[in-house]
Amino acid sequence: MSVSRLRTYWQLRMASWVRRRQGVDVLPVVLQRRRIYILPTRAGLAFALLLLFMLLASLNYANSIALFLTFLLAGFGLITMHQCHRNLMGTRLHGATVLPTFARRPGTLQLTLQNPVRAARPRIAASIEQEAARLADLPGQGSQCIELTVAAAARGLVSIDRLKLTTTHPFGLFRAWAWIHTPLRMVVYPRPVGGLPMPADDALKSGSLPRGGAGADEWLGLRPFRDGDSPRQVDWKAYAREAPLLVKEYSASGNDLRVFRFDALTGLPVEQRLEQMSRWVVDAEAHGERYGIELPMTRIEPDRGPEHRHRCLTALALYSLPVPAQ
Amino acid sequence: MKKAIELTALRPLLWATAACGAGTLLSVDRVPAWVPVAALGLAGWRIWVAARPTRSQRLPGAAVRNFLAILLIAAVLVTFRALNGLSAGTALLILMGGCKLLETRSRRDLFVVVGAALFLLLAACLDRQDLLRAPLYLGQVWLCCAALAVIAYAPTATEGPAFDQGFNNRSAVLLAGRTLLLAAPLAIVLFVFFPRLAGAFWSLPRGDTASTGLSDTMSPGSITDLTASYEIAFRARFEGAAPPPAMRYWRGPVLHNFDGYTWRRLYATPYGRPTLEYLGKPYRYQVILEPSSQRWWFALDTLQHPPPGDTVLTDDNELISRQPITDTTVYKGVSYTSVKFTSPLPEISRRRDTATPPRNPHSREFARELRARSGSDGAYVAAVLEFLRTGGFKYTLTPPPLGADSVDEFLFNTRLGFCGHFASAFVMLMRAAGVPAHVVTGYLGGDWNPVGGYFVVRQSDAHAWAEVWLEGRGWTRVDPTAVVEPGRLDRGILDLLPEAGSAQARLVRRSTWLTALVQRWDAANAWWTEHVVKFDFRSQIGILESLGIDSPDARDLGWAFAAGLLLWMAWIAWEYGRSPGGPPQDRVALAYARLCRKLAKAGLGRAPHQGPLAYADTVSLRRPDLASSLRPLLEQYAHLRFGSGSHDPDELQILTFERRIRNLKVSGTA
């Protein structure tokens, strides 16, 4: 068994032990003593070795000054352990929100940390499994928001079982951390790709009105770019003038009703069908149209608005996936 | 394993460089000048790269760095011919610190640089432990800890916020200082009670430091060179009365072999330890010997036993250690200033101490004549001393140079000499007449330090005298210098010949307050050496005894050590385990609760349902005498609590309220 496998095995054992020990958390969570773990960092271990060497050298030469300095540094090291522990203890995780994303785009996990005491808490890092940590400096009696990126490889649900709050402040010799088991699920929409034309309007199935281009629609204005927006709609000219990424929004005139049907996309594999439907939902929402989707077993009646868009995309994301119990 | 992520901020790099640079400065005078210069170059290179706003300038690649490291190691090898000595090791540490600095990218690299700085500190401690350097060492510890804080705080590129105003250099320094202050009690407790080991497991080769003090040869003028030095040879503290000045002969190397110009010590001449009868009273004392890189320990006159340890008392009553003295050494001795040899002089010894080189013909002739006229060896000694006293000899620091027949020239021509000339000539005259004699070098006198209660013996107190073998008494000290210049017995050379000392010594001697200041400083140094630097197992036992423990041993020490450690750990855990800061207390409520407690003690408790104004009414009814002082207070409370609407009461109002409640006196009855 290689070292890294041994490590992984040990980490899994630890994780399940911690999970059994702490149970499931309901936000807000206050980091109390019993859920804070602390171990020396690699720098801390090196520091201990250095102190051992200093101790042996100063004892060997009966060198009082070196011995005193060794003890001083040893006391220093022990105190840093308490300081590190205290930097985390009492921190309150107030909120944790995951924002949905599209497959192969990093999602966002927003954490709100609160510091109930007067002393500031610098360098608190939040992380989830395998992802890079982000740091926050909590001011005294203040709160701070941390945004973590969550990788999303494929559509479906990404479940975040536990969060980790870590600190090595102030001297980097110890690392204190706490696990928070708050079940979070991130919906990963299918990628909005696919070049098929949007199916015709249900209400105008007879097809008197052609699928209009942008010019046929009523100009609504500009709005900030959202994930899934088509690059064609981006106001690149404004962007070139160093404006934020804006999207031209049009509203289709009249009460258009489109229903995107899974079954209608014959000849495509399941995932590509879902991706194409995702594309249509995104585009239709961007154009202010009213749209619905029809999946086997599921039908969402035409509507519009961000919530509707989310409902539709979620339905696409979860299509034929076993939905785990909440 | 995660890849080390590059730190982008310049500040942690600067701090690590500063820590390493300060560590270098601690030993900068112990290594060749090119070493710190090279390290400075490496550090400058790194900082230059980091400080460039454009990233076009890259750090040197691995090949260049390895080449540099090998080059520098080779340079150290060539300079020192070793890598394991203290100076060589220090030089190596400085250079490797610089090399490491050149490749620092991640937090770990910077930690390694700070580790090198701490190793440099250790090397400096092993080298020197002067009182003056103690603050420097503490400062270095502080600097390293602050550097750790800054490095630990520095974010990597992916982690988010860079340095903000919340944690600047000042906070790092303050945090490190506060932490070290909290650690200080532990350091003191452990220092006092941590059981010390006796003896070294391995020894560190030390570089060749120039030896100071008396050597094992003496030629005309050699002691004169020594007297120009104001350096301390040793300090001596007597238990009880000190011997009179004329008896304070501190015995050093005994010189037997004379080639007509230079006296030399003989090695490996065991001719049996003489048996002695000690006369007079013993003197007990402690000597704090400064490192000299020589092997002479100095003891008063005739030492009874060698101190325990690595020393021998030779047949000539010299005290010699097996190893050169590279550290301050403390030992105790019992000496007699008057002894009688009860064993006869061995033949080999007699032959050796009457040998004369075939030189100085006039002196030999003169000696034979004078001895023939004297009735005994004793009378001959007196006659020679009389000759020196009345022969127009002068004690001077600047005698004219002498040739190969140095004694002839001195006795019959120049007649100007220093203690070495007189001792040399006297012993030569004795030997020429068949009286066994040899030269003894050492120190005479010493300055009394009233602050520390000890004598300071400096190199300028170096002296040379003679010993002659007189039947019935054995080796007898004769100091021919004292005949020519009797003042030398109770005064130092600097008093007799003020021009002898260095400018610094003359300056100190001229001003009384400067003398007092130097004495105080020296006393502090002596205290430091005796009680801190030389703190050992015996000192530990002494402390336990003074704490009231009967016949303490190592086990008691262990208990004290464990108790101190646990107490400290409990204190720290309590200090940090308390609610960290806590939400701001409701001071108004606290003050009000205090007021209610005060009143309750006087039997005027507040009913739980009562508001402050209703409470004021009740109290006024029952105790009209308190009404005038209480009512405004309770009204102020009501105002602070409920009255000011959305605005929080300001600090001044709260302070006044608190003070008024604190000062309120509530007597038990009306």
Side-chain angles (χ1 to χ4, degrees), chain B residues 10 332 481 584:
Chain B
L10 181 58
K332 290 192 171 180
T481 314

Side-chain angles (χ1 to χ4, degrees), chain A:
Chain A
M1 193 183 269
S2 71
V3 174
S4 72
R5 279 182 60 192
L6 195 69
R7 223 174 129 102
T8 314
Y9 168 78
W10 174 246
Q11 279 170 349
L12 284 175
R13 284 288 305 271
M14 266 299 281
S16 70
W17 176 74
V18 169
R19 173 72 180 72
R20 279 201 309 276
R21 184 169 173 269
Q22 288 183 188
V24 176
D25 297 309
V26 180
L27 295 182
V29 170
V30 179
L31 302 188
Q32 294 300 357
R33 195 168 274 132
R34 71 179 294 269
R35 63 160 78 225
I36 297 178
Y37 306 86
I38 188 162
L39 277 178
T41 57
R42 228 182 285 173
L45 289 178
F47 186 74
L49 269 180
L50 180 124
L51 286 187
L52 184 68
F53 182 84
M54 280 180 80
L55 180 73
L56 289 179
S58 41
L59 280 180
N60 183 59
Y61 299 116
N63 190 301
S64 293
I65 309 306
L67 198 61
F68 179 83
L69 295 182
T70 306
F71 292 145
L72 188 66
L73 283 170
F76 169 83
L78 280 174
I79 292 174
T80 67
M81 180 179 74
H82 288 282
Q83 288 172 332
C84 183
H85 189 262
R86 187 164 82 158
N87 198 39
L88 206 54
M89 192 173 74
T91 306
R92 193 155 169 268
L93 176 65
H94 186 251
T97 318
V98 273
L99 303 179
T101 184
F102 290 92
R104 302 203 201 161
R105 289 206 193 160
T108 308
L109 168 60
Q110 289 177 334
L111 300 176
T112 314
L113 294 177
Q114 285 184 336
N115 178 12
V117 301
R118 272 171 298 171
R121 300 175 186 274
R123 303 283 106 163
I124 296 205
S127 61
I128 50 178
E129 313 286 327
Q130 312 300 333
E131 300 285 333
R134 299 284 299 177
L135 286 174
D137 295 317
L138 302 187
Q141 288 182 309
S143 60
Q144 176 90 36
C145 197
I146 305 184
E147 288 202 346
L148 293 177
T149 54
V150 187
R155 70 169 179 102
L157 280 178
V158 169
S159 66
I160 301 165
D161 291 329
R162 52 179 197 168
L163 307 166
K164 190 182 184 188
L165 293 179
T166 316
T167 189
T168 60
H169 188 78
F171 292 101
L173 301 180
F174 282 90
R175 173 179 291 116
W177 75 95
W179 297 108
I180 296 160
H181 301 94
T182 168
L184 292 169
R185 290 188 203 295
M186 182 173 72
V187 178
V188 182
Y189 307 146
R191 283 194 305 158
V193 290
L196 293 179
M198 209 179 278
D201 208 314
D202 263 16
L204 306 165
K205 202 163 263 178
S206 50
S208 65
L209 209 82
R211 165 88 188 91
D217 298 326
E218 191 182 326
W219 166 263
L220 268 184
L222 293 168
R223 61 164 176 79
F225 181 82
R226 279 202 298 256
D227 275 353
D229 282 331
S230 157
R232 275 176 301 171
Q233 294 168 319
V234 169
D235 185 354
W236 292 111
K237 282 182 189 159
Y239 186 64
R241 291 193 304 268
E242 299 193 3
L245 209 51
L246 295 174
V247 172
K248 291 180 237 168
E249 207 168 28
Y250 303 94
S251 119
S253 51
N255 292 326
D256 305 350
L257 287 172
R258 296 175 192 271
V259 174
F260 308 131
R261 291 196 176 78
F262 182 82
D263 293 334
L265 290 164
T266 46
L268 283 177
V270 172
E271 291 305 318
Q272 277 188 29
R273 289 189 200 188
L274 295 171
E275 286 175 353
Q276 179 63 64
M277 289 174 77
S278 171
R279 171 85 266 161
W280 288 337
V281 167
V282 169
D283 287 349
E285 175 67 28
H287 286 90
E289 292 172 15
R290 289 164 63 81
Y291 56 91
I293 56 167
E294 200 179 88
L295 289 165
M297 319 287 288
T298 320
R299 179 184 164 87
I300 297 177
E301 292 303 326
D303 197 352
R304 66 178 163 210
E307 280 176 37
H308 177 68
R309 175 180 183 263
H310 174 64
R311 205 163 63 241
C312 293
L313 288 174
T314 306
L316 294 176
L318 302 184
Y319 170 70
S320 82
L321 291 181
V323 176
Q326 282 286 327

Side-chain angles (χ1 to χ4, degrees), chain B residues 1-336:
Chain B
M1 191 165 293
K2 267 185 235 164
K3 195 172 171 292
I5 302 161
E6 194 163 340
L7 289 176
T8 46
L10 181 58
R11 196 193 301 190
L13 177 68
L14 290 180
W15 272 88
T17 312
C20 210
T24 305
L25 281 182
L26 289 177
S27 303
V28 76
D29 54 336
R30 292 295 207 226
V31 290
W34 66 266
V35 172
V37 169
L40 192 69
L42 292 169
W45 187 354
R46 178 68 183 91
I47 291 171
W48 180 65
V49 169
R52 296 268 292 204
T54 59
R55 291 266 147 191
S56 58
Q57 192 63 39
R58 308 290 304 170
L59 284 176
V64 177
R65 292 198 312 263
N66 291 343
F67 172 72
L68 271 177
I70 291 170
L71 190 74
L72 290 171
I73 292 174
V76 170
L77 259 176
V78 167
T79 311
F80 292 95
R81 311 206 173 278
L83 288 179
N84 58 344
L86 192 54
S87 330
T90 307
L92 205 60
L93 261 175
I94 293 172
L95 292 171
M96 291 303 107
C99 279
K100 183 70 197 170
L101 207 56
L102 202 57
E103 62 167 7
T104 49
R105 288 164 199 280
S106 64
R107 194 177 290 156
R108 196 195 325 160
D109 295 332
L110 291 176
F111 274 134
V112 170
V113 173
V114 175
L118 285 172
F119 267 113
L120 280 172
L121 171 68
L122 176 66
C125 286
L126 292 182
D127 188 20
R128 280 170 285 184
Q129 309 184 61
D130 308 350
L131 176 57
L132 202 59
R133 295 178 72 87
L136 298 183
Y137 294 158
L138 281 177
Q140 171 69 351
V141 168
W142 192 354
L143 177 60
C144 286
C145 291
L148 282 184
V150 173
I151 295 167
Y153 191 87
T156 57
T158 60
E159 282 177 329
F163 283 94
D164 61 6
Q165 290 306 307
F167 194 87
N168 49 21
N169 290 336
R170 200 180 125 83
S171 356
V173 169
L174 287 181
L175 182 67
R178 207 171 49 237
T179 311
L180 286 173
L181 268 185
L182 285 174
L186 176 77
I188 292 169
V189 166
L190 292 198
F191 178 76
V192 171
F193 294 122
F194 189 86
R196 303 300 165 88
L197 308 173
F201 301 117
W202 81 94
S203 69
L204 190 67
R206 311 196 43 142
D208 294 331
T209 40
S211 54
T212 52
L214 292 171
S215 69
D216 55 1
T217 64
M218 183 188 87
S219 17
S222 66
I223 293 194
T224 324
D225 298 340
L226 208 53
T227 54
S229 164
Y230 199 54
E231 268 177 58
I232 293 173
F234 57 90
R235 302 182 180 90
R237 169 173 290 141
F238 286 93
E239 290 172 26
M247 288 288 150
R248 285 203 297 270
Y249 281 86
W250 301 93
R251 195 179 176 90
V254 176
L255 314 178
H256 297 282
N257 207 345
F258 188 48
D259 64 2
Y261 187 78
T262 301
W263 288 89
R264 289 194 172 76
R265 186 170 176 271
L266 288 176
Y267 287 87
T269 52
Y271 50 84
R273 228 176 122 61
T275 51
L276 299 177
E277 186 183 326
Y278 300 103
L279 309 172
K281 63 170 187 164
Y283 291 103
R284 288 165 202 284
Y285 55 94
Q286 173 172 290
V287 174
I288 306 143
L289 189 63
E290 292 292 314
S292 63
S293 293
Q294 310 237 36
R295 290 164 54 215
W296 319 121
W297 292 31
F298 295 94
L300 182 71
D301 215 322
T302 310
L303 188 66
Q304 198 173 13
H305 301 293
D310 208 14
T311 53
V312 281
L313 197 57
T314 66
D315 300 339
D316 282 326
N317 276 324
E318 304 156 299
L319 188 59
I320 297 184
S321 66
R322 283 184 229 290
Q323 298 297 325
I325 302 152
T326 52
D327 274 320
T328 309
T329 309
V330 179
Y331 52 90
K332 290 192 171 180
V334 179
S335 284
Y336 290 83

